[in-house]
Amino acid sequence: MQEAVKRFFPEEHKTWDLRQFRRKQAENIQIIADGPRRNTSLIIYDDGEGQHPEDFEKTFLSLLRGNKNEIHFVQGKYNMGGSGAIVFCGDKGYQLIGSKRYDGNGKFGFTLIRKHPLTEDEARAKKNTWYEYLVINGKIPAFDIDEMDLGLFNRKFKTGTVIKLYSYDLPSGIADISKDLNYSLNEYLFEPALPIFTIEKPERYPHTPIPQRELYGLKRRLEQEDSKYVADYFSEDYFDQEIGKTRVTCYVFKSKIEGKTAKESRETIQREFFKNNMSILFSINGQVHFHYTSEFITRSLKFPLLKDYLLIHVDCTEMNPSFRSQLSMASRDRFKDGKESRKLRAFLTDHLRKSKLAEIYKRRKDSITVEGGDTADLIKSFTKSLPLNSELMSLLNQTFKLDEKKEKKKHKDQGNHKPSKEEKEPFRGKRFPTYFRLKAQNDGKTPVAKIPMGGEKTLKFETDVENHYFVRVEEPGELQLALLNYEPNDKTGGDKPGLPKKIEDVFNVVKSSPNDGIIKVVLNPTRNVQVGDAIQLKVTLEGPGESFDEIFWVKISEPEEPKEKPKPKKEPEEDKLGLPPYILVYKEKKDDNTLTWEQLEAEAGVEMDFDTVMHPLVEGEMLDRIYINMDSRVLKNYKSKLSTPEQYEIADKRYITSVYFHTLFLYTITRKRKYVIHRMKDNGDEEYVDLTDYLKDLFENYYSHFLLTFEVTEILN
């Protein structure tokens, strides 16, 4: 697609990042609202090729002709995309098509498509209706024009195509076409070839501040240098023999935007970047075809703190066509539950959990970590009233990872901690690299690394280029790998044809973006190589500036022996129990072992206010910790009826114990019984509800009032 843009718009495309030039180009493709608000029609104008009237029946009105199969930079292959919109054109299915060829020759042709209204006799005889189009005397109606006023923005119609979709059934939440539809299309057209206008009419929304907005894809909005939303982004390039080539780009949003609360920040980010509830976007030639929701982030990646703050784009353009064609349903709007889609999900999970995302998640989690509550005392109190051999205790043993023994060891080793390293100066990358070198001794002859069969090896390269060099919109660079020489192991014969010619023949490859001066390349041998083979590689860092090469040898080694896990020592039954810690949170700072609402909001985007009772941090299948709000309205109302410090202390203990153990049991039982929670949306659709959100919402809605009136004195005593 990008090659086509450079070919047809060789100079123009370089200026589209400037708003005045982008708006001028966007006039050539317009989506215009028409009709009353409650019965919106859409006009779509494209100043493109256009068609002669006599060609309508084999272009606009044809089905299954496959006239795009050999044009790689256009979407579609069955010639049915335009027809698919008819079913959304009101009860009568009206759609108007008008067109004139780009060179001005010929007439302007038009036709009207509709759903055939069945007569009484037809209704009795036919099972279904059909769609039909207007002809006069067997021909598409046509007449001569120089130009026409069709209500386009800033121009009259001369050539191209215009389509009107009458009474169009827009998705819920889309009213103002210039804004709401713009945000929605920005997600689906992640990186469109050309800018587009979405236009609202003043008579429909007279108070709309910007009735004409240009649309140029979510990618460019995310990668603006002065973005107030995005904290960081990076990309990784993957090659797998079965899947082919993919580029995965991860965008991590700020948990708190300047001038907004955590709640306002999250709502703004969701409205502007996740309008269609798509967290992982899979695109071909810049257009999104299918997606995952945030469920992938919480359940597969196990990064719950990033659930509302992470968008991942997977470019499938260079995937193996045979693999890609098996991923989606025929409608190409959602995944098919097949072995290919399951392999892709597992592949992405494995690589992303080892990527820079893991570092980002750890930083966010560490920022809201303190010593926490005295979980051991709770365990002792709890076990007095619950037999150790009960099913519930067994259930807890299976679910939670922290045990008393680890806690004791932690306290024992506290005096032996190492001093923290001095903080490094922040990395300041250059726009173009001035050096690029392998971070290993390389004499050009001796292999710099041994790569085990069935395993992988990470090679690191040092450079001084900025982190976004590979993914930035303007003047990006690229890392290229090439196979220079191949020396097979002569000890073993074989019947495979010839020697490998390409890097893809010998390695599955992962290439990462520069990260503070380091570029990583991960090599995993394919089945085409054998132990003892020596391979000479050339790695080139290239771009608009100077290019740099590193040439070196690697060798294929024996598979690594699986590491034997030490056998766990048998421990007394009472030492097996493990429980997640709790952390107390207050509106204002209390001490070093507690957090504040502001810390949770600013560092991790976790909203907490007077209505919040607790926030469980769930990572995959593990309840990692529980944040308990000590300034909740529930606790304050309960304590307002008390008068002495002793009563306040007992109330705090009652509250902490009740919230902690009820969260614990609700979580454990839900996981153990394998419940999956869904909620009905306003439009009637079901949406998956994360267990964290479910438990948090449960406690905010009267459940916690019951807890404080429930008798737990036996535990407290």
Side-chain angles (χ1 to χ4, degrees):
M1 184 66 79
Q2 294 305 314
E3 291 177 12
V5 170
K6 292 175 183 177
R7 178 177 177 181
F8 293 108
F9 301 89
E11 297 301 324
E12 297 92 330
H13 82 277
K14 299 176 183 177
T15 65
W16 291 343
D17 284 311
L18 300 175
R19 191 162 187 258
Q20 66 184 90
F21 296 103
R22 183 168 66 245
R23 287 178 67 87
K24 186 65 179 176
Q25 178 61 41
E27 289 182 18
N28 292 319
I29 305 176
Q30 303 181 21
I31 302 174
I32 307 166
D34 195 32
R37 288 191 194 183
R38 296 184 180 276
N39 189 21
T40 300
S41 296
L42 294 178
I43 298 171
I44 302 171
Y45 162 70
D46 173 22
D47 186 15
E49 184 179 3
Q51 298 294 338
H52 288 304
E54 53 269 27
D55 292 331
F56 272 34
E57 292 179 336
K58 60 184 179 183
T59 53
F60 297 127
L61 304 172
S62 70
L63 298 175
L64 298 174
R65 288 186 65 91
N67 54 15
K68 297 180 181 178
N69 258 346
E70 297 179 4
I71 309 175
H72 293 280
F73 61 85
V74 299
Q75 300 289 351
K77 56 182 179 179
Y78 297 121
N79 223 52
M80 297 174 66
S83 303
I86 300 174
V87 296
F88 299 101
C89 293
D91 295 333
K92 298 182 179 179
Y94 276 103
Q95 184 184 98
L96 175 70
I97 300 176
S99 188
K100 183 178 179 179
R101 286 287 287 180
Y102 71 96
D103 55 11
N105 292 325
K107 297 182 178 182
F108 173 83
F110 73 95
T111 188
L112 187 66
I113 301 171
R114 71 171 184 179
K115 182 167 68 175
H116 177 77
L118 294 175
T119 64
E120 290 184 7
D121 291 339
E122 288 173 336
R124 286 192 293 269
K126 308 286 186 183
K127 289 194 298 183
N128 298 302
T129 186
W130 58 89
Y131 289 89
E132 55 195 10
Y133 57 90
L134 172 69
V135 294
I136 298 176
N137 296 326
K139 294 183 179 180
I140 296 294
F143 55 89
D144 291 313
I145 66 161
D146 290 323
E147 61 181 27
M148 284 192 298
D149 186 357
L150 297 181
L152 305 178
F153 172 63
N154 210 29
R155 63 171 59 189
K156 292 184 178 180
F157 180 91
K158 294 181 179 179
T159 62
T161 300
V162 62
I163 298 175
K164 185 167 184 177
L165 309 173
Y166 291 89
S167 302
Y168 197 75
D169 184 17
L170 289 163
S172 60
I174 294 181
D176 183 339
I177 297 303
S178 67
K179 182 180 179 181
D180 299 330
L181 185 62
N182 187 292
Y183 284 160
S184 186
L185 288 178
N186 250 314
E187 293 181 40
Y188 284 105
L189 299 177
F190 186 81
E191 190 177 7
L194 303 171
I196 300 168
F197 256 130
T198 54
I199 300 169
E200 188 54 82
K201 290 191 173 179
E203 55 266 30
R204 284 169 43 89
Y205 286 90
H207 302 296
T208 297
I210 309 175
Q212 306 94 21
R213 296 174 191 258
E214 68 273 22
L215 181 160
Y216 201 19
L218 202 57
K219 175 181 170 69
R220 288 170 176 83
R221 290 189 64 209
L222 290 166
E223 296 180 7
Q224 292 174 352
E225 290 186 9
D226 58 346
S227 174
K228 62 181 180 180
Y229 303 107
V230 178
D232 196 6
Y233 66 94
F234 66 93
S235 73
E236 292 196 340
D237 291 295
Y238 304 143
F239 174 80
D240 178 86
Q241 278 206 317
E242 182 181 356
I243 296 173
K245 293 181 180 179
T246 52
R247 166 167 283 193
V248 178
T249 308
C250 300
Y251 303 90
V252 181
F253 292 88
K254 298 174 183 177
S255 54
K256 192 174 181 185
I257 302 168
E258 187 175 353
K260 295 182 182 290
T261 65
K263 181 180 180 181
E264 291 169 341
S265 300
R266 186 174 65 252
E267 289 174 348
T268 300
I269 290 168
Q270 292 297 312
R271 182 175 61 251
E272 297 203 12
F273 299 95
F274 298 90
K275 191 173 182 66
N276 297 292
N277 196 29
M278 302 190 298
S279 294
I280 293 80
L281 312 176
F282 296 82
S283 75
I284 302 172
N285 280 330
Q287 178 180 315
V288 173
H289 283 238
F290 23 83
H291 70 277
Y292 297 148
T293 64
S294 59
E295 170 267 344
F296 176 79
I297 299 170
T298 55
R299 298 181 72 179
S300 294
L301 296 183
K302 301 178 183 178
F303 294 153
L305 293 176
L306 297 179
K307 180 188 66 163
D308 297 320
Y309 304 95
L310 174 61
L311 188 146
I312 300 173
H313 173 241
V314 183
D315 189 346
C316 306
T317 306
E318 294 189 65
M319 257 187 194
N320 289 337
S322 58
F323 182 88
R324 190 177 65 200
S325 64
Q326 297 301 315
L327 290 176
S328 65
M329 305 293 284
S331 57
R332 291 183 291 127
D333 65 341
R334 60 188 182 276
F335 275 104
K336 180 167 59 178
D337 184 18
K339 65 177 183 178
E340 288 82 7
S341 59
R342 289 192 291 271
K343 176 181 172 64
L344 180 60
R345 186 182 180 102
F347 179 84
L348 292 173
T349 299
D350 180 54
H351 285 83
L352 289 173
R353 279 192 57 79
K354 295 185 291 188
S355 72
K356 186 180 175 181
L357 273 182
E359 301 172 21
I360 294 172
Y361 182 77
K362 185 178 184 301
R363 286 199 299 269
R364 290 212 175 181
K365 183 178 175 181
D366 289 347
S367 69
I368 54 171
T369 299
V370 295
E371 283 300 311
D374 193 351
T375 309
D377 287 344
L378 273 175
I379 294 172
K380 291 175 184 177
S381 299
F382 183 57
T383 52
K384 287 178 183 178
S385 58
L386 191 66
L388 281 173
N389 61 354
S390 70
E391 287 188 18
L392 184 57
M393 192 64 75
S394 175
L395 198 62
L396 292 173
N397 286 337
Q398 296 170 24
T399 308
F400 302 109
K401 63 181 179 181
L402 301 176
D403 57 43
E404 285 184 313
K405 191 166 184 179
K406 290 181 182 177
E407 288 293 323
K408 290 176 184 176
K409 185 176 180 181
K410 180 179 176 183
H411 290 302
K412 185 177 178 181
D413 295 341
Q414 276 182 349
N416 300 324
H417 67 277
K418 295 180 181 179
S420 59
K421 295 180 180 179
E422 293 184 9
E423 290 189 9
K424 296 180 180 179
E425 289 187 12
F427 176 78
R428 293 181 176 85
K430 298 179 180 178
R431 182 157 182 81
F432 298 105
T434 61
Y435 67 86
F436 175 71
R437 53 179 174 257
L438 178 66
K439 199 174 180 182
Q441 289 187 345
N442 179 24
D443 59 12
K445 298 178 182 179
T446 308
V448 301
K450 293 182 179 180
I451 306 176
M453 284 293 293
E456 62 183 32
K457 185 72 175 180
T458 300
L459 302 178
K460 296 181 180 180
F461 299 84
E462 296 175 313
T463 184
D464 58 351
V465 76
E466 66 182 18
N467 290 349
H468 299 152
Y469 186 46
F470 295 162
V471 292
R472 67 193 187 197
V473 175
E474 288 294 312
E475 300 181 308
E478 190 174 6
L479 191 73
Q480 295 283 3
L481 273 72
L483 175 62
L484 292 186
N485 203 349
Y486 186 90
E487 294 183 357
N489 174 13
D490 293 331
K491 294 180 181 179
T492 59
D495 56 1
K496 294 182 180 178
L499 293 177
K501 302 294 184 184
K502 299 181 296 184
I503 187 72
E504 293 87 353
D505 295 333
V506 292
F507 290 118
N508 296 317
V509 181
V510 176
K511 299 182 290 185
S512 67
S513 285
N515 184 21
D516 293 351
I518 297 294
I519 297 175
K520 294 180 181 179
V521 175
V522 181
L523 301 177
N524 162 240
T526 68
R527 296 177 182 177
N528 296 331
V529 299
Q530 299 181 47
V531 173
D533 291 353
I535 302 165
Q536 188 182 37
L537 302 176
K538 181 171 78 169
V539 181
T540 303
L541 182 62
E542 60 182 28
E546 184 181 356
S547 294
F548 299 88
D549 294 329
E550 279 288 283
I551 298 174
F552 54 90
W553 287 86
V554 295
K555 194 168 186 177
I556 307 301
S557 63
E558 294 283 353
E560 291 180 337
E561 293 290 333
K563 295 180 181 178
E564 289 188 10
K565 295 182 180 179
K567 294 181 180 179
K569 296 179 181 179
K570 288 188 177 181
E571 299 172 359
E573 191 70 26
E574 61 269 17
D575 285 340
K576 285 187 178 179
L577 175 64
L579 295 173
Y582 66 81
I583 296 176
L584 303 183
V585 187
Y586 294 83
K587 187 175 187 297
E588 304 295 338
K589 187 68 176 176
K590 195 81 170 177
D591 54 51
D592 291 339
N593 291 328
T594 62
L595 292 173
T596 65
W597 295 356
E598 175 64 25
Q599 283 176 292
L600 275 182
E601 290 185 358
E603 302 296 338
V606 175
E607 180 193 353
M608 195 164 276
D609 55 27
F610 290 113
D611 293 324
T612 307
V613 175
M614 62 85 196
H615 181 91
L617 181 59
V618 179
E619 294 186 348
E621 300 296 314
M622 191 69 63
L623 179 57
D624 188 81
R625 65 191 64 172
I626 302 170
Y627 295 94
I628 300 177
N629 183 12
M630 297 303 292
D631 280 323
S632 69
R633 197 183 315 278
V634 170
L635 181 58
K636 285 184 174 294
N637 288 343
Y638 183 77
K639 291 168 72 173
S640 67
K641 302 170 186 176
L642 309 177
S643 56
T644 67
E646 291 79 9
Q647 290 176 325
Y648 290 155
E649 184 179 352
I650 292 174
D652 284 345
K653 287 184 178 179
R654 177 191 292 268
Y655 174 75
I656 294 170
T657 308
S658 299
V659 171
Y660 181 85
F661 280 112
H662 278 257
T663 302
L664 199 64
F665 295 147
L666 286 170
Y667 171 83
T668 304
I669 293 166
T670 304
R671 279 285 189 235
K672 180 67 177 176
R673 303 297 295 176
K674 294 181 170 57
Y675 289 119
V676 178
I677 302 163
H678 289 82
R679 173 173 52 198
M680 192 72 73
K681 296 166 65 175
D682 292 338
N683 62 3
D685 294 339
E686 284 189 355
E687 66 175 347
Y688 168 79
V689 178
D690 183 71
L691 188 51
T692 295
D693 295 334
Y694 170 72
L695 292 175
K696 190 174 181 179
D697 187 53
L698 192 68
F699 275 80
E700 288 181 8
N701 285 278
Y702 306 110
Y703 185 70
S704 52
H705 290 274
F706 159 77
L707 295 184
L708 284 178
T709 60
F710 186 74
E711 191 59 51
V712 289
T713 53
E714 187 176 357
I715 295 177
L716 295 178
N717 292 330

